[in-house]
Amino acid sequence: MRDPRRNSSPQRPQPVPPGPPVIEWPGLDEGHARAGQNLELLCVARGGNPLATLQWLKNGQPVSTAWGTEHAQAVARSTLVMIVRPEDHGARLSCEAYNSVSTGIQECGVTLQVTFPPSAITILGSASQSENKNVTLSCITKSSRPRVLLRWWLGWRQLLPTEETVMDGLHGGHISMSNLTFLARREDNGLTLTCEAFSEAFTKETFKKSLTLNVKYPAQKLWIEGPPEGQRLRAGTRVRLVCLAIGGNPDPSLTWYKDSRTVTEPRPPQEPRRVQLGSLEKSGSTFSRELVLITGPSDNQAKFTCKAGQLSASTQLVVQFPPTNVTILANASALRPGDALNLTCVSVSSNPPVNLSWDKEGERLEGVAATPRSAPFKGSAAARSVLLRMSSRDHGHRVTCRAHSTELRETVSAFYRLNVLYPPEFLGEQVLVVTAVEQGEALLPVSVSANPAPEAFNWTFRGYRLSPAGGPRHRILSGGALQLWNVTRADDGLYQLHCQNSEGTAEALVRLDVHYAPIIRALQDPTEVNIGDSVDIVCTVDANPILPEMFNWERLGEEEEDQSLDDMEKISKGSTGRLRIHHAKLTQAGAYQCIVDNGVAPPARGLVRLVVRFAPHVEHPSPLTKVAAAGDSTSSATLHCRARGVPNIVFTWTKNGVPLDLQDPRYTEHTYHQSGVHSSLLTIANVSAAQDYALFTCTATNPLGSDHTDIQLVSISRPDPPLGLKVVSMTPYSVGLEWKPGFDGGLPQSFQIRYEALGTPGFLYMNVLPPQATTFTLTGLQPSTRYRLWLLASNALGDSGLADKGSQISVTTPGLDQPSGEPDYQLPTEQPAGPSKLPLLPVLFAVGGLLLLSNASCVGGFLWQRRLKRLAEGISEKTEAGSEEDRVRNEYEESQWTGDRDTRSSMVSTTDVEPYYHSMRDFSPQLPPTLEEVSYPRGLTGLEEENMTFPGHVYDEVERLYAPSGAWGPLYDEVPMGSCDLYWPEDRYEDARGIYDQVAGDLDPMEPDALPFELRGQLV
């Protein structure tokens, strides 16, 4: 039986050798290839088990062992890729196939037949030859297969070779050679000579080698371009010579010669270079080389030649030049006055000849012609002599010989300096007076002439010889001058100089005048004069020199009108100067300065005060002033009286015409003096309405007269109506107002505007903010509407009322089409509609407002009574507290003084035109205590009084401060006052202002019932 497993297993194929390999050659010509070709051969072996292994061999050497198999087709393939080279010619390429059961190696091969051109062409021989001579050349190629043919070209003309040869070359190729001989002609110069190789096997390629034919031949013509021969050239002229040649190969070498010597540029180049040799230049067939000369004497009649090979050209220059050298010869060197000197002048060479002449320091001398020598550079020589008699004045002089060429208009000069020996002689410019400044330096110069120079200079002063070696304050300079320093007045006088040399001696006198700055010896300070009288301010000085206009006067003042001296007379006589003042006026009082300047720094300055004495003048800009104070016997008031006058003023006070008893402890007076301004402060303690509400009179007295003013002490009250209400600007919706505040009644006041539109019922109110403002812009108005406005002033005691006509005004706002009264107006926050008829709703509001007003009046009466009671209690509490911070505020003050209007007491004029009052809340006078008073702690400070500074003059206006520091002491027991804030006494007196602080402090904004009804709000 068969084994089932044996019948079901596959049968294994039997090993079989592969078939013979086959080489697939591209193209028809098997084995033929060209050098440089990329040859790709495919070897295929079919069958075999296993498939065949393939490899490529070249001349028996493996070159590729890579192959591939396809089992489906039972094929093995191998590709050989190679670049064919000439050396591959004749090589055998073979493909071998075998497997593990092959009995031998099967092979298929092919032999390469390579075609390659010559790799290079070479021309042997020289392509440069002289004209009309034979040129012989050989053209040889590298090995090629097949052989190539050669032919010659000259330009576009073909030349026939004389001999052609073919030889075996490398790699089975052939070498071709062609010889050529032809006649070189001038017209063939520069043509291209080409050897060309060609073959039918290389029809698409051309192989050639080229040379440029160089035919040598000489230049055809040579000449020189330059100035015409015989033209006369001035020495220093720039001459350009150009040598030109036509033709020639190679380029002709042009060489310049001067008198058979080659011309070259000097090295290093001269500055400036006299010879510039250009390089050879070519333009077409013309060659040139230039020679640039700066002509000189050596170029006169010189022959310049240009050569190019056998050709040459020449030119000759004629150069005119001044004498190349002028020399003076003398028969002696050392001369003395009276000696004779013979000088000979020689001109070495010139063209054309020159004329010689002599002069001495510009004075012409007559000379004699001498025999000349031979001259170089083919020029002419000349000589001339002169005879001189010497004197001392001739020393250092120059004797000049001038060689002048008329044709050239040029002169060459030489001089001989005379050396004459003579004793010292002082010259006419010797200084006899020397001016010096004290404490400075002085130089006494010496103008002496001597040869040789003086051996010694000896100075004597007042019989004493000054040491030649010098001293603490002098030295003798090398030239003999005497130098002094730290000169004093004692050095003034005559100085004697004695000098000598080997030839003799001489003497001279020099005066030293010492100037010194002026010193004021006498100046009466102060100088006093009664107003209307005349006086001289005398200034006496010590100075040198004394000059007529050395006195000058200045008035010390900041303003130009204060410095004017037009109404004063200046007198100067000798060492005294006067400033004469006629009919002295108050405006002339003040500080003056005497300035003396005699040209020696520094000018002397002396300060003197002119005191103009005048009777007192109390400052009272209105007939009556008033000061407010509470008459509750607990407050204080201060009355201020201020006056001007010289000498010092004594103040006295009266009450209702009765002299005031200042021994009464309730009255305290303080007096202050500042130059011509005097102040008296009367403080009244525990003011009583029954005793102190009176008319106080302040009288100011000095020896020249007296003056007085009245001050009314009144009770605190409601403020006076504002004055001078006026419109300053207007727009359709606003109006700008301005006014002057009235008397505030002794309490801080504020302002309120009440206004109505005519034809419309009801009033509108507007509070002025800030309360102290005196200008305000009322907004929210209607265009083209007439309004009536009232301005009310109010304090804690009430308002000023509406009766005063100066506090009301009527205005009509402009329409929208009219120009505005101010550039930038403010639009109302809510623009009213302005109906033509009264609507019902506003009428109802008005009726309701009247009902509210009637009810509020009842409540207000009660609250007003309670308010007055609290006011009295507050006054009492404040008085007992005795505030240490605010004191003595109620004062009479000057109208220019300004301060905070939020005050506790004021004073005001009784006139309505220009009110005169001032708030005293923050007033602090800038006056120091007098010498008899003690220092007090700080009382009232803070108000800067602008007009408490003082002028440059002493007893005049008090607009500014000018007091030269350290210039003088106080006059008439005056107390110096500074510009800083001053402290007034506070330990003895109560502060009147503190009484009213309690009133203001009690006004709690959170309790409107505590205020009078009219101060609670606005009626709307």
Side-chain angles (χ1 to χ4, degrees):
M1 292 182 63
R2 285 186 174 181
D3 186 352
R5 291 176 297 177
R6 186 177 181 89
N7 293 335
S8 61
S9 62
Q11 295 183 0
R12 291 185 177 180
Q14 295 296 321
V16 177
V22 176
I23 296 176
E24 297 181 1
W25 185 269
L28 300 177
D29 297 333
E30 181 176 342
H32 290 272
R34 184 169 180 176
Q37 178 182 351
N38 189 8
L39 184 62
E40 184 175 342
L41 300 179
L42 178 63
C43 177
V44 178
R46 301 182 182 275
N49 184 27
L51 296 178
T53 297
L54 304 178
Q55 71 172 352
W56 284 93
L57 294 89
K58 179 181 178 181
N59 293 331
Q61 299 296 326
V63 294
S64 177
T65 58
W67 79 96
T69 60
E70 294 181 6
H71 293 278
Q73 299 179 5
V75 176
R77 291 185 176 88
S78 177
T79 302
L80 175 65
V81 179
M82 63 177 293
I83 297 177
V84 180
R85 296 178 297 177
E87 53 266 30
D88 294 332
H89 176 69
R92 176 175 174 78
L93 298 177
S94 59
C95 178
E96 294 182 347
Y98 64 92
N99 64 4
S100 57
V101 296
S102 296
T103 57
I105 296 176
Q106 301 185 68
E107 178 190 29
C108 178
V110 61
T111 300
L112 295 178
Q113 301 293 322
V114 180
T115 300
F116 54 90
S119 60
I121 300 176
T122 304
I123 297 179
L124 304 178
S126 175
S128 178
Q129 185 58 276
S130 299
E131 181 182 17
N132 297 324
K133 290 187 178 181
N134 286 330
V135 178
T136 300
L137 300 172
S138 295
C139 180
I140 302 177
T141 67
K142 292 289 186 179
S143 177
S144 65
R145 184 174 181 275
R147 62 164 286 188
V148 295
L149 300 178
L150 300 176
R151 56 188 175 192
W152 293 87
W153 298 90
L154 181 60
W156 298 103
R157 177 165 56 96
Q158 184 175 358
L159 302 179
L160 298 178
T162 56
E163 182 182 3
E164 290 183 342
T165 305
V166 177
M167 298 173 290
D168 292 336
L170 297 176
H171 315 305
H174 305 280
I175 297 174
S176 300
M177 184 176 67
S178 174
N179 296 329
L180 174 67
T181 300
F182 65 98
L183 185 64
R185 298 180 302 176
R186 179 179 299 186
E187 56 270 21
D188 296 335
N189 179 53
L191 296 180
T192 300
L193 182 64
T194 303
C195 176
E196 182 183 12
F198 63 95
S199 172
E200 293 181 356
F202 314 111
T203 56
K204 294 183 179 180
E205 294 180 89
T206 300
F207 309 97
K208 61 177 65 176
K209 178 69 173 179
S210 298
L211 297 176
T212 300
L213 181 63
N214 182 26
V215 180
K216 300 178 182 178
Y217 54 91
Q220 294 176 312
K221 183 180 179 181
L222 182 69
W223 75 97
I224 295 176
E225 290 184 355
E229 287 199 21
Q231 179 181 350
R232 290 178 290 185
L233 304 174
R234 181 76 176 269
T237 303
R238 186 175 183 272
V239 177
R240 180 173 177 265
L241 302 177
V242 182
C243 178
L244 297 102
I246 296 178
N249 187 39
D251 295 345
S253 176
L254 304 180
T255 306
W256 280 99
Y257 296 88
K258 177 182 177 181
D259 292 335
S260 71
R261 292 193 304 273
T262 304
V263 177
T264 57
E265 288 193 44
R267 294 289 185 270
Q270 300 175 0
E271 292 296 340
R273 293 187 296 177
R274 300 188 61 86
V275 178
Q276 296 181 13
L277 188 61
S279 58
L280 184 67
E281 296 183 1
K282 180 179 181 182
S283 176
S285 61
T286 302
F287 301 88
S288 62
R289 191 176 191 186
E290 71 174 6
L291 173 64
V292 179
L293 303 172
I294 305 299
T295 57
S298 63
D299 298 325
N300 183 40
Q301 298 186 18
K303 183 178 181 181
F304 290 87
T305 304
C306 177
K307 293 184 178 181
Q310 301 300 321
L311 299 178
S312 66
S314 300
T315 185
Q316 194 173 36
L317 302 180
V318 177
V319 180
Q320 293 180 324
F321 56 93
T324 56
N325 188 20
V326 176
T327 306
I328 298 177
L329 305 177
N331 65 341
S333 57
L335 303 172
R336 288 180 174 81
D339 292 349
L341 176 64
N342 185 39
L343 300 177
T344 301
C345 178
V346 177
S347 172
V348 177
S349 180
S350 66
N351 181 32
V354 296
N355 297 321
L356 299 179
S357 61
W358 287 95
D359 69 81
K360 183 180 69 173
E361 298 295 333
E363 179 185 357
R364 184 175 179 82
L365 303 176
E366 294 296 333
V368 179
T371 303
R373 306 176 182 176
S374 59
F377 310 127
K378 300 179 182 179
S380 302
R384 195 172 186 84
S385 300
V386 67
L387 182 65
L388 302 174
R389 186 71 62 180
M390 296 294 99
S391 68
S392 61
R393 294 186 300 273
D394 293 329
H395 175 68
H397 286 181
R398 300 195 307 180
V399 181
T400 304
C401 173
R402 306 181 189 278
H404 179 68
S405 174
T406 304
E407 186 173 350
L408 298 181
R409 297 181 180 179
E410 187 171 345
T411 302
V412 177
S413 302
F415 69 89
Y416 181 85
R417 189 177 295 278
L418 300 178
N419 181 26
V420 182
L421 303 177
Y422 61 96
E425 297 177 358
F426 288 99
L427 305 178
E429 60 267 21
Q430 171 64 43
V431 176
L432 302 180
V433 178
V434 174
T435 300
V437 178
E438 192 171 28
Q439 302 302 324
E441 294 186 0
L443 181 65
L444 278 60
V446 175
S447 297
V448 65
S449 175
N451 188 30
E455 300 170 355
F457 295 91
N458 296 319
W459 288 89
T460 58
F461 178 59
R462 297 178 182 175
Y464 294 95
R465 181 170 179 262
L466 301 182
S467 172
R473 295 195 306 113
H474 86 277
R475 67 173 175 175
I476 299 175
L477 303 180
S478 60
L482 175 61
Q483 185 179 22
L484 305 173
W485 53 87
N486 295 335
V487 175
T488 66
R489 301 170 205 187
D491 297 328
D492 191 289
L494 292 175
Y495 291 77
Q496 186 178 20
L497 170 63
H498 178 88
C499 60
Q500 65 179 12
N501 69 356
S502 59
E503 301 294 324
T505 61
E507 291 184 354
L509 291 176
V510 181
R511 182 178 181 276
L512 177 61
D513 184 15
V514 179
H515 288 186
Y516 51 90
I519 300 175
I520 297 178
R521 296 300 186 188
L523 184 62
Q524 183 179 357
D525 176 55
T527 299
E528 299 184 6
V529 61
N530 289 338
I531 187 168
D533 292 345
S534 298
V535 69
D536 285 353
I537 302 178
V538 182
C539 183
T540 304
V541 299
D542 177 20
N544 183 33
I546 300 294
L547 303 179
E549 301 297 332
M550 67 179 182
F551 286 94
N552 193 17
W553 295 87
E554 285 185 357
R555 184 175 178 185
L556 301 180
E558 296 180 359
E559 303 296 334
E560 292 185 2
E561 57 269 16
D562 295 341
Q563 302 173 2
S564 174
L565 301 177
D566 294 341
D567 53 351
M568 304 178 190
E569 181 182 0
K570 299 177 184 178
I571 303 173
S572 176
K573 184 177 181 180
S575 60
T576 301
R578 300 173 184 270
L579 180 64
R580 180 163 297 171
I581 302 171
H582 302 278
H583 310 294
K585 299 184 290 292
L586 288 179
T587 57
Q588 294 173 330
Y592 290 80
Q593 187 169 223
C594 174
I595 304 174
V596 187
D597 187 0
N598 66 346
V600 181
R605 297 175 182 268
L607 297 176
V608 59
R609 291 167 294 176
L610 177 63
V611 178
V612 179
R613 294 177 293 195
F614 61 98
H617 174 71
V618 177
E619 298 178 356
H620 44 82
S622 62
L624 182 65
T625 60
K626 56 182 177 180
V627 174
D632 54 2
S633 300
T634 61
S635 62
S636 299
T638 300
L639 310 184
H640 181 197
C641 180
R642 183 175 179 179
R644 301 181 184 182
V646 176
N648 278 358
I649 290 175
V650 176
F651 290 96
T652 59
W653 289 86
T654 64
K655 182 173 71 173
N656 292 330
V658 178
L660 197 63
D661 183 11
L662 296 180
Q663 299 301 321
D664 187 337
R666 294 197 312 115
Y667 300 112
T668 304
E669 187 211 17
H670 295 268
T671 302
Y672 301 91
H673 303 283
Q674 171 74 41
S675 297
V677 181
H678 316 272
S679 296
S680 175
L681 301 179
L682 177 62
T683 302
I684 305 171
N686 303 326
V687 175
S688 170
Q691 297 180 15
D692 297 321
Y693 285 170
L695 182 65
F696 289 82
T697 301
C698 171
T699 303
T701 306
N702 74 357
L704 299 181
S706 64
D707 193 11
H708 71 277
T709 186
D710 296 327
I711 304 175
Q712 180 73 49
L713 181 59
V714 298
S715 173
I716 58 174
S717 63
R718 295 184 301 169
D720 288 351
L723 302 175
L725 179 63
K726 61 180 180 180
V727 177
V728 295
S729 63
M730 186 180 299
T731 70
Y733 301 105
S734 66
V735 60
L737 302 176
E738 184 180 60
W739 62 91
K740 294 182 180 179
F743 176 52
D744 61 3
L747 295 174
Q749 66 176 344
S750 60
F751 300 100
Q752 188 180 55
I753 298 174
R754 168 183 164 177
Y755 63 102
E756 67 171 347
L758 298 185
T760 302
F763 297 92
L764 299 176
Y765 290 81
M766 178 65 69
N767 288 332
V768 175
L769 294 176
Q772 298 81 15
T774 58
T775 60
F776 188 75
T777 299
L778 180 62
T779 60
L781 306 183
Q782 289 297 311
S784 303
T785 303
R786 183 167 181 81
Y787 289 90
R788 185 159 51 186
L789 302 94
W790 293 265
L791 179 64
L792 303 176
S794 61
N795 61 15
L797 298 182
D799 58 45
S800 59
L802 302 175
D804 193 282
K805 295 182 178 180
S807 60
Q808 61 177 301
I809 194 172
S810 296
V811 298
T812 301
T813 56
L816 295 178
D817 56 345
Q818 297 178 2
S820 176
E822 60 181 7
D824 299 319
Y825 56 86
Q826 299 177 350
L827 294 176
T829 55
E830 293 184 7
Q831 184 170 337
S836 59
K837 294 184 179 181
L838 293 177
L840 180 60
L841 186 59
V843 173
L844 294 178
F845 275 128
V847 173
L850 292 175
L851 294 176
L852 288 175
L853 181 60
S854 63
N855 293 331
S857 63
C858 296
V859 179
F862 170 75
L863 293 178
W864 176 245
Q865 296 296 326
R866 191 180 73 172
R867 176 61 183 154
L868 292 179
K869 182 179 179 181
R870 294 184 60 184
L871 175 61
E873 293 175 354
I875 293 174
S876 177
E877 291 173 0
K878 277 294 180 178
T879 304
E880 293 173 359
S883 174
E884 294 296 332
E885 183 181 21
D886 302 318
R887 290 183 181 267
V888 192
R889 293 297 183 176
N890 294 332
E891 297 180 347
Y892 170 80
E893 241 320 8
E894 184 180 352
S895 61
Q896 286 108 338
W897 292 7
T898 61
D900 189 356
R901 291 189 179 86
D902 184 11
T903 62
R904 298 299 176 263
S905 62
S906 300
M907 48 192 173
V908 65
S909 171
T910 56
T911 65
D912 294 336
V913 179
E914 289 293 335
Y916 183 72
Y917 71 94
H918 183 67
S919 175
M920 306 301 293
R921 175 182 176 88
D922 296 323
F923 171 71
S924 178
Q926 299 187 359
L927 293 174
T930 56
L931 294 178
E932 69 272 17
E933 295 175 340
V934 297
S935 237
Y936 295 98
R938 176 170 182 175
L940 301 176
T941 61
L943 176 64
E944 296 185 1
E945 181 183 342
E946 298 177 358
N947 297 313
M948 287 303 292
T949 55
F950 295 88
H953 48 80
V954 181
Y955 297 108
D956 192 16
E957 52 186 330
V958 289
E959 298 301 327
R960 52 191 164 14
L961 173 64
Y962 189 95
S965 176
W968 45 66
L971 290 177
Y972 304 108
D973 300 329
E974 62 178 319
V975 179
M977 299 161 58
S979 59
C980 60
D981 289 339
L982 306 174
Y983 304 133
W984 282 15
E986 68 175 353
D987 54 343
R988 299 182 184 176
Y989 312 107
E990 295 181 353
D991 185 0
R993 186 186 64 178
I995 301 173
Y996 311 109
D997 286 346
Q998 183 66 35
V999 176
D1002 289 344
L1003 302 180
D1004 188 354
M1006 300 304 295
E1007 299 179 7
D1009 292 341
L1011 294 175
F1013 177 80
E1014 63 272 20
L1015 300 180
R1016 295 182 198 168
Q1018 300 178 359
L1019 177 62
V1020 295

